[in-house]
Amino acid sequence: MNNSMNRSTTFGGLGGSTSSRPPANTTLSSLLAQANSLNEVDYDSELPQIRFGIDDIERMSEAAAGRGKKGKNEKGEGFNLLSNLGVNTSQLTHNISQLPNNAEPSTRPRRRRQPPQQSRLEPLGDIGPSYGIGDSDIGAWGRNWHEMVILGGIEVQRQRTINSFQKQFQQRILQNWELEKARVLQDELGVTDEEIAGIVGSSSNGGLSGSALGKSALGSSTRRFPMAQSQLGKSTSESREGGLVMHTKMVRYERVIGELNQRRLRKEPFELCQALEETVKGDSKHPLLPASYHILAYLTHEPSLRDSADYASTSNDAGYAPGEPVQERQYASAYLGDQRSNHATLLRGRLVMGGRRFLERDFERHVDEIIAKNPKEAALGGIPGIRNKIRAFVDVTLRSKEARDAYRPESVNGSFLWAQTYYLVRCGYIDEALNQIAENQQHISRDDWSFPGAFKTVLSSTERRLPKTQRDQLYNDFNSNIRNNSNVDQFKYTLYKLIGRFELNRKSVKIASTTEDWMWLQLSLIKDSESSNSPQDQYDLLDLQKLIQKFGHDKFDQNGTKPLSWFNLLLFTAQFEKAIAYLYSKPQLKTDAVHFAIALNYYGLLRVPSKGEEAELLTTDDADISYLNFPRLIKQYISPFFRLEPQTALQYAYLVALSSDSPNIVIGQKQKQLSLELVRDIVLSSKSWSKLLGSVKSDGTKEFGIIEKDLSLLKLQDEKDYLKQVVLSAAEQSLLDSSLIDSIELYHLSGEFDKVVETVNKSLGQSLSSSSSATENLDSEHSKTIGLSGSFGGINDIYTLAQKVFNVYEKDFSKRTKVSKLHWETLEVLLKLKLGLKQFQDDRPDLALETFKSTNLLPLDNDSSSISKYSNNFKQILDQPIISNLDEIIITTMKCLHLLSTQLKNSPYGDHSRLIQLNILKHQSQCLIQFASTLRLRLGADVYRQLSSMSAFF
């Protein structure tokens, strides 16, 4: 009964219909009973849900206020234990309570203070009621702790991800900013890479890998000495001196490039490397520079070197007939094509042989220098042959005890046979070396009985290869007498190694103590891998390239003081693209790097990327094949002076088209297009159109320009192709640059007469607006700047130019027929409108009105029924230049009617004809207003306001 009453009371309270307070003596147990009775009622979603029971609340409260429940006099187990042991617990309790920092005892329950956690993150969000779990509920506490660990781990990972992203984003932004600053400083101000590193903190290695050089169009800089040292941090005298030296070198280079293109026009071969070598002879700052060009001349087998007396005693493996020239792009198909083809294999052999020949000739000069410095020890006498010269050189170099102890030369028949034979081979005198061994064969030890035959077989063969039988015999002698012999003659050891290609894993010998000697040894050891019989005998040019790259440039160019040493090694190993890129990274050698690239591209020994100019300067594909962005290199070189010296810049622009014969058709077309675009940019920037492109006189005669005489250098077939690819392209680019008047003469020169009229219409139509005077002044100044010539020379304003175009084409029927009817009629109307506006400005409204009427553009014939006809004709036959200026035309016409009407009204003569004329003017104004109303979407709102205000005066 009581429970039922309590239940109804409770529900009444929730419902809000009644309100009754429980009796004062209600206990916690009765409340519990009431709460339990709630479970018997059906679930109602609107009622609040009780999360904990009374027992749970009571237990949790006791746990939270456990200390507070203990009375002051209650003793715990610890108190009893201490008392049993004889400790005065009362005194101890009193002493503890008297401690200075002890807090006052309180009966209030205190929350247990959590120990501080290090390197832990607070959990995110609300994880439920587990925070209120008591100390005795271990399971709930474990679940809470587990959730906190998981959430903490997630938060740590999230923070790490955010920090990593922000760090990478900041690095990318800073990197792009540094590259852009470097590009601006290099392109526009000519600042060198070292100075950039000091100014903006750039970290690019040499300024190539991360630089954005050349990606912009031809810049606005007009510095004539682009590769000279900047004046930043330098004295003025030093800068002038550096600029003068660089200018002199560039002028010499330009003469060679000009001669090269003249030879190409005449289809004559040209020894480009030696011509470039002559320009840098005597360079005190870079004495190795002429030698680098000489190396390239040997690699390309230029005929004057190949046929010279000191080339070698046996040069039949050169693969050329005596006097046979090396033609333009002779090596392109083999170098750019399939590297597994026979042509590619033959080319690699020729490159290796050319590098070896240079090192042999260079060593022979070293022999002559040593003998000249030590004439007494050499005791040469008379007119010596090469064998006597080598004998004298050996006597000088091995006269000291230290040298003999180091190399342990073996005396055969009273002379150092093995040393002399090695140096004969080292100098390239194969026949003399063979004779030397043959003459002393009977004096050679029996341990070396297989060497003379193998020596003759190898050096007499073009492939320099031993048959298996002979090689096995030689290898046995090498193993038994030489390999592990500490006292062996080092010259004999090297000869065995060269002839038998033994121990290729050990690529150095004791007597090859210099870089040149070591490189000659490598070039003598390598053979094409496909012709090797066993894997251990494989050592080809690719392996040598990898070995060189493994050493790195720091080993040969320490502290950047000898860049040409590393450059020459890259040339010897046919890594031409990497060689040019490395040399270009040196600011003082950029000019030379450009011309090395020109020489390589001329002979077909340079790979260019397929991406075009937007590619980096040096790129490498997945097959480890490098490509050099030659167009970008040329564009960067000519950018400082192409405006002032367009003829010189054109000579370099022609060279970009050299790669148009690439086996890859896409690359070839791209290179040709880049060359034409570069020529177009030079033409547009220089404004010397008559000189570069030619001109057409008013009488129809044509004068040829410089470019038209060089069509073959641009790989263009005929004049039609030239007009389309160069002149028309320049005109379109000029039109895109909003240089409307610039494009008129270019279109006329290219034979696009319809485009001439269309461009004139646009320019003339723009001058019809209210700001026509300002536009004419601007265009007039521009016209004076560009120096129009040919059929339209000496013109200073747009209207006169349009009249000139109209007169020239009207008299020439062949040109007139190539102009569309729409454009021609538009030009006629625009000329009349321009004349009418000029007459109105000259206070002749009567003449202006008659001129406007003659255009048949406006309804001024006093026929109201023809208004719709004028509107339709206007929409059908007229072009945009008139439509865009219709507001000005209608308002000016209305002003003419208003002025004429005012003049008649103010006239002192009041005859009948004046009234008739006033009515005509009034009717014309009404027709003009009606005509304007039919073109609401084409006219501005202010037009109708002005027309209405002026019509009120009629």
Side-chain angles (χ1 to χ4, degrees):
M1 184 69 179
N2 189 24
N3 292 341
S4 177
M5 181 186 67
N6 290 336
R7 184 171 63 239
S8 63
T9 303
T10 305
F11 275 96
L14 290 172
S17 60
T18 61
S19 178
S20 61
R21 297 180 60 185
N25 59 353
T26 300
T27 64
L28 191 61
S29 298
S30 64
L31 291 176
L32 176 62
Q34 294 177 24
N36 291 333
S37 66
L38 294 177
N39 296 329
E40 301 176 3
V41 184
D42 294 337
Y43 173 76
D44 188 352
S45 60
E46 296 182 359
L47 295 177
Q49 301 299 310
I50 299 176
R51 179 174 296 179
F52 301 109
I54 297 299
D55 294 336
D56 295 332
I57 295 174
E58 186 175 5
R59 184 177 65 253
M60 292 166 59
S61 300
E62 291 176 353
R67 293 181 179 179
K69 286 185 177 182
K70 294 182 180 181
K72 189 173 182 181
N73 297 326
E74 292 181 352
K75 313 301 182 183
E77 295 180 358
F79 185 88
N80 296 331
L81 177 63
L82 293 175
S83 297
N84 295 334
L85 294 176
V87 177
N88 188 353
T89 56
S90 300
Q91 183 63 33
L92 180 61
T93 303
H94 177 73
N95 293 336
I96 292 175
S97 64
Q98 296 301 320
L99 291 175
N101 292 330
N102 187 30
E104 291 296 331
S106 175
T107 59
R108 294 180 58 189
R110 293 180 298 174
R111 186 174 181 178
R112 181 177 299 173
R113 181 176 299 174
Q114 299 292 336
Q117 297 182 357
Q118 297 181 358
S119 69
R120 288 288 304 274
L121 295 174
E122 293 297 330
L124 298 177
D126 185 10
I127 61 175
S130 55
Y131 282 108
I133 294 174
D135 295 341
S136 61
D137 194 346
I138 302 300
W141 178 85
R143 289 191 299 273
N144 180 36
W145 177 81
H146 184 255
E147 291 176 357
M148 291 179 64
V149 169
I150 293 175
L151 293 175
I154 294 174
E155 178 65 16
V156 169
Q157 189 62 34
R158 188 179 72 89
Q159 291 292 343
R160 288 177 180 174
T161 303
I162 292 174
N163 294 336
S164 176
F165 170 78
Q166 291 178 346
K167 183 178 180 180
Q168 293 180 3
F169 180 77
Q170 186 178 11
Q171 289 177 349
R172 181 64 59 85
I173 290 295
L174 291 177
Q175 180 184 9
N176 294 341
W177 170 237
E178 294 297 335
L179 293 179
E180 185 63 19
K181 285 197 295 186
R183 187 196 65 77
V184 172
L185 289 172
Q186 288 175 325
D187 290 358
E188 305 298 337
L189 302 177
V191 181
T192 64
D193 292 325
E194 283 106 354
E195 292 170 340
I196 289 177
I199 297 171
V200 301
S202 176
S203 59
S204 60
N205 52 351
L208 285 177
S209 59
S211 177
L213 289 174
K215 288 188 177 179
S216 61
L218 287 173
S220 59
S221 174
T222 56
R223 294 175 68 246
R224 184 59 185 90
F225 316 125
M227 306 305 172
Q229 291 185 344
S230 169
Q231 295 185 11
L232 293 174
K234 303 282 196 295
S235 66
T236 307
S237 59
E238 291 176 352
S239 300
R240 276 200 302 268
E241 182 180 357
L244 181 60
V245 172
M246 188 59 64
H247 173 64
T248 303
K249 178 187 287 188
M250 291 178 68
V251 170
R252 291 176 179 174
Y253 274 138
E254 290 163 5
R255 293 172 184 170
V256 174
I257 300 303
E259 184 179 357
L260 169 66
N261 285 326
Q262 292 301 316
R263 294 286 190 95
R264 293 176 60 204
L265 287 173
R266 299 194 298 265
K267 298 187 181 304
E268 298 177 358
F270 185 56
E271 295 184 337
L272 179 57
C273 296
Q274 294 182 74
L276 294 173
E277 179 187 353
E278 290 296 325
T279 64
V280 295
K281 280 187 175 179
D283 192 330
S284 57
K285 288 188 176 180
H286 307 288
L288 291 180
L289 196 56
S292 298
Y293 280 115
H294 209 59
I295 292 171
L296 194 54
Y298 269 90
L299 293 176
T300 55
H301 296 272
E302 291 189 347
S304 62
L305 293 176
R306 197 174 64 241
D307 302 332
S308 62
D310 67 338
Y311 187 75
S313 60
T314 57
S315 59
N316 54 354
D317 58 341
Y320 296 96
E324 179 185 354
V326 182
Q327 301 295 336
E328 173 185 334
R329 304 287 294 176
Q330 177 158 328
Y331 307 114
S333 60
Y335 187 76
L336 305 177
D338 186 3
Q339 296 303 297
R340 296 170 296 181
S341 64
N342 292 333
H343 290 291
T345 302
L346 180 60
L347 174 62
R348 288 193 294 269
R350 288 177 176 174
L351 292 174
V352 170
M353 187 270 292
R356 196 172 64 244
R357 291 298 187 203
F358 171 82
L359 293 170
E360 290 167 356
R361 301 281 61 75
D362 185 66
F363 187 78
E364 186 177 359
R365 285 189 289 272
H366 172 67
V367 169
D368 293 336
E369 292 175 359
I370 294 298
I371 294 175
K373 291 180 180 178
N374 303 275
K376 184 177 180 181
E377 293 82 357
L380 192 57
I383 302 177
I386 185 61
R387 288 174 60 179
N388 192 26
K389 184 190 297 184
I390 294 299
R391 188 270 314 157
F393 175 76
V394 170
D395 290 343
V396 172
T397 55
L398 298 180
R399 71 180 184 272
S400 64
K401 184 177 183 301
E402 292 79 5
R404 290 194 296 271
D405 291 342
Y407 301 130
R408 299 188 181 278
E410 179 182 335
S411 179
V412 178
N413 194 20
S415 64
F416 296 133
L417 174 65
W418 301 109
Q420 294 179 20
T421 303
Y422 167 78
Y423 283 125
L424 284 172
V425 175
R426 177 68 178 84
C427 291
Y429 291 93
I430 305 303
D431 293 341
E432 285 75 5
L434 290 173
N435 294 334
Q436 181 97 349
I437 292 295
E439 292 175 3
N440 294 276
Q441 183 171 357
Q442 58 183 350
H443 302 288
I444 295 177
S445 172
R446 293 180 60 86
D447 294 337
D448 302 314
W449 69 273
S450 61
F451 179 82
F455 187 68
K456 182 176 180 180
T457 301
V458 169
L459 297 186
S460 300
S461 170
T462 56
E463 296 182 355
R464 291 196 171 188
R465 192 174 306 281
L466 272 176
K468 187 177 185 305
T469 304
Q470 275 188 299
R471 190 178 187 278
D472 291 342
Q473 293 174 353
L474 187 67
Y475 189 62
N476 291 334
D477 290 345
F478 178 77
N479 279 336
S480 59
N481 302 317
I482 296 178
R483 182 195 291 271
N484 299 318
N485 186 356
S486 59
N487 295 322
V488 68
D489 185 333
Q490 292 298 315
F491 298 99
K492 181 167 67 172
Y493 170 81
T494 304
L495 288 172
Y496 267 88
K497 190 177 182 67
L498 286 172
I499 299 304
R501 300 181 74 243
F502 301 140
E503 296 184 314
L504 291 179
N505 58 330
R506 298 174 58 185
K507 297 179 175 62
S508 299
V509 294
K510 197 169 186 179
I511 60 176
S513 57
T514 65
T515 301
E516 291 78 8
D517 290 336
W518 181 86
M519 178 53 66
W520 177 85
L521 178 66
Q522 306 311 307
L523 295 178
S524 300
L525 287 175
I526 62 176
K527 293 288 186 298
D528 190 81
S529 59
E530 295 185 1
S531 60
S532 300
N533 297 323
S534 57
Q536 62 269 20
D537 294 336
Q538 291 185 358
Y539 182 45
D540 58 7
L541 185 58
L542 181 60
D543 295 325
L544 180 57
Q545 292 175 355
K546 293 179 179 178
L547 179 63
I548 291 293
Q549 289 298 328
K550 182 179 179 181
F551 287 144
H553 62 83
D554 291 336
K555 183 177 180 61
F556 300 94
D557 181 20
Q558 296 181 357
N559 301 323
T561 57
K562 297 180 180 179
L564 290 172
S565 298
W566 175 249
F567 175 75
N568 291 342
L569 289 180
L570 294 176
L571 288 183
F572 282 128
T573 54
Q575 301 182 79
F576 302 124
E577 295 80 12
K578 293 179 180 178
I580 298 300
Y582 182 77
L583 198 65
Y584 193 79
S585 68
K586 307 300 178 182
Q588 68 274 18
L589 292 170
K590 284 186 176 181
T591 300
D592 307 292
V594 171
H595 291 85
F596 273 109
I598 291 173
L600 288 167
N601 203 19
Y602 172 73
Y603 287 117
L605 294 173
L606 200 67
R607 296 186 181 94
V608 293
S610 58
K611 293 183 180 180
E613 188 187 349
E614 64 273 11
E616 293 296 328
L617 184 63
L618 181 68
T619 55
T620 304
D621 60 11
D622 297 335
D624 200 26
I625 298 178
S626 299
Y627 301 87
L628 186 78
N629 196 336
F630 183 74
R632 179 174 163 186
L633 200 70
I634 294 297
K635 191 172 186 178
Q636 182 67 25
Y637 179 74
I638 67 174
S639 60
F641 62 87
F642 75 102
R643 295 178 185 273
L644 301 178
E645 302 178 22
Q647 291 179 262
T648 301
L650 282 175
Q651 300 302 313
Y652 286 90
Y654 294 155
L655 300 173
V656 178
L658 282 169
S659 300
S660 61
D661 62 349
S662 173
N664 188 324
I665 300 178
V666 176
I667 295 179
Q669 290 296 328
K670 185 66 175 179
Q671 296 300 306
K672 178 180 177 181
Q673 188 62 33
L674 289 174
S675 177
L676 293 173
E677 290 176 1
L678 192 55
V679 169
R680 180 201 64 195
D681 292 342
I682 293 172
V683 170
L684 290 177
S685 301
S686 66
K687 311 297 183 183
S688 303
W689 296 336
S690 300
K691 190 175 184 180
L692 301 180
L693 299 178
S695 61
V696 179
K697 299 298 183 182
S698 56
D699 58 358
T701 59
K702 183 176 181 179
E703 291 184 358
F704 292 94
I706 295 175
I707 299 177
E708 195 167 0
K709 299 176 183 177
D710 302 333
L711 296 185
S712 61
L713 300 180
L714 291 170
K715 309 300 179 182
L716 299 176
Q717 301 298 326
D718 49 24
E719 181 183 359
K720 183 179 180 181
D721 197 15
Y722 158 73
L723 293 176
K724 178 181 178 182
Q725 297 290 343
V726 179
V727 183
L728 183 59
S729 176
E732 292 174 348
Q733 183 62 40
S734 177
L735 189 61
L736 291 175
D737 295 339
S738 299
S739 302
L740 297 176
I741 298 184
D742 289 15
S743 60
I744 291 174
E745 187 173 356
L746 293 175
Y747 279 125
H748 179 74
L749 187 61
S750 63
E752 293 292 329
F753 306 118
D754 186 54
K755 292 291 293 184
V756 171
V757 176
E758 181 184 2
T759 307
V760 168
N761 289 344
K762 290 181 180 179
S763 182
L764 187 60
Q766 292 176 358
S767 68
L768 295 179
S769 63
S770 58
S771 58
S772 60
S773 59
T775 305
E776 288 182 25
N777 292 335
L778 177 63
D779 290 343
S780 177
E781 291 297 324
H782 188 64
S783 177
K784 293 177 182 179
T785 302
I786 63 175
L788 289 171
S789 59
S791 300
F792 311 123
I795 297 173
N796 296 323
D797 62 272
I798 298 173
Y799 178 64
T800 307
L801 175 64
Q803 284 183 317
K804 186 77 171 180
V805 170
F806 183 84
N807 295 333
V808 170
Y809 289 178
E810 188 179 34
K811 296 177 182 178
D812 194 331
F813 181 76
S814 62
K815 295 183 177 64
R816 171 67 180 81
T817 54
K818 293 182 181 180
V819 180
S820 66
K821 180 180 179 182
L822 175 63
H823 291 159
W824 187 257
E825 291 178 351
T826 301
L827 178 60
E828 291 179 326
V829 172
L830 284 172
L831 286 173
K832 291 179 180 179
L833 292 177
K834 186 68 175 177
L835 177 61
L837 292 173
K838 186 176 183 301
Q839 291 171 341
F840 177 76
Q841 292 176 357
D842 295 338
D843 294 331
R844 292 300 306 268
D846 53 338
L847 297 179
L849 185 62
E850 290 299 322
T851 303
F852 290 144
K853 185 177 180 180
S854 66
T855 63
N856 294 321
L857 179 65
L858 303 174
L860 300 175
D861 52 2
N862 297 318
D863 186 1
S864 302
S865 61
S866 64
I867 294 177
S868 60
K869 181 189 71 173
Y870 280 100
S871 299
N872 293 331
N873 292 338
F874 178 84
K875 298 175 183 178
Q876 293 176 1
I877 66 173
L878 292 178
D879 205 355
Q880 181 65 29
I882 296 178
I883 296 175
S884 60
N885 294 281
L886 189 60
D887 295 13
E888 185 73 19
I889 297 169
I890 292 178
I891 291 176
T892 304
T893 305
M894 195 67 173
K895 289 180 179 179
C896 292
L897 294 174
H898 176 261
L899 290 175
L900 292 176
S901 177
T902 302
Q903 291 176 3
L904 288 175
K905 289 180 179 180
N906 296 332
S907 174
Y909 305 101
D911 53 0
H912 179 69
S913 61
R914 185 180 69 167
L915 295 176
I916 296 176
Q917 188 65 28
L918 285 172
N919 291 330
I920 293 175
L921 294 175
K922 180 179 180 181
H923 187 264
Q924 287 177 340
S925 65
Q926 293 174 351
C927 291
L928 192 62
I929 293 175
Q930 293 180 17
F931 173 75
S933 65
T934 62
L935 302 173
R936 289 187 178 275
L937 299 179
R938 299 180 181 272
L939 301 177
D942 189 62
V943 174
Y944 302 101
R945 183 187 62 79
Q946 296 187 52
L947 292 178
S948 299
S949 62
M950 285 187 286
S951 64
F953 291 95
F954 287 94

